[in-house]
Amino acid sequence: MNGAVESTAWVVRAQRMRASGLGLLFLAGLSWAYLAMLMFTPFESAEYSNHCDAPAFRDHVYEDCEEERPWTTMTGILAASVPLGMLGMGLYTSGTTTLRVREYVSEVMVADKASSAQPAGSGGPDGTGEGDGSGSTKDT
C-alpha cells in the first residue's frame, strides 16, 4: 500500500474494524470449542461419582448427570456465540473491503497521474497522440 494512504483516518478505522472482527471471531471460536468439549467428552458426576456419557452420545440419562451438564447451558453458549460470530464476520469483512477499496483508489490515482504526465504527442501508437497507428488520413 501507498505510504500516504496508510496514514489516513479511513485506513486506521478499517484496521481497527478488522482487528475487532478478528477478536470477536476468536471469542466465538472459543465458545464453540468449549461447547464441543461439553457435548462430546464423557465426565464424572462430582456429587455421586457416576461415570456419565457425553451428552451427544447418551443412551439413558442419570439425574445427576443431567444436573452436571444441562442442555440449557449448552444451548445458551451456542446462542451467545452465534451473534459474536456474525458481528465478527461483518466487522472483519467491512474492514478488509474498506482497505482493499482504498488501495484500489490509490492505485487508480497513481495511474491517472502517470498517464497525465506523459509528454504531448506520445499517446498514440504512431507517436502523434491520435489515431490507431495505421497512419491513414481522412480525405475531405
Side-chain angles (χ1 to χ4, degrees):
M1 256 166 65
N2 188 350
V5 173
E6 289 179 355
S7 63
T8 64
W10 284 89
V11 173
V12 171
R13 188 175 345 160
Q15 289 172 341
R16 194 177 315 131
M17 285 174 58
R18 193 165 66 170
S20 299
L22 278 177
L24 289 173
L25 285 171
F26 180 73
L27 288 176
L30 284 178
S31 299
W32 294 329
Y34 182 64
L35 177 65
M37 189 225 26
L38 289 177
M39 285 290 296
F40 299 112
T41 58
F43 60 98
E44 296 283 330
S45 174
E47 190 174 329
Y48 300 105
S49 298
N50 285 342
H51 176 74
C52 301
D53 292 330
F57 306 118
R58 287 187 217 182
D59 289 334
H60 63 288
V61 179
Y62 296 114
E63 192 172 312
D64 55 322
C65 291
E66 183 65 32
E67 290 174 9
E68 191 78 23
R69 287 191 186 169
W71 281 99
T72 54
T73 302
M74 292 182 276
T75 307
I77 292 170
L78 180 63
S81 70
V82 170
L84 284 176
M86 291 176 62
L87 186 60
M89 177 197 56
L91 284 172
Y92 182 79
T93 303
S94 177
T96 301
T97 303
T98 301
L99 288 173
R100 298 285 183 200
V101 167
R102 195 73 173 140
E103 183 178 341
Y104 173 74
V105 168
S106 175
E107 289 176 5
V108 167
M109 289 172 56
V110 168
D112 187 42
K113 286 181 184 177
S115 68
S116 66
Q118 288 182 351
S122 64
D126 58 356
T128 63
E130 297 180 14
D132 59 358
S134 64
S136 63
T137 60
K138 184 176 180 183
D139 290 333
T140 55

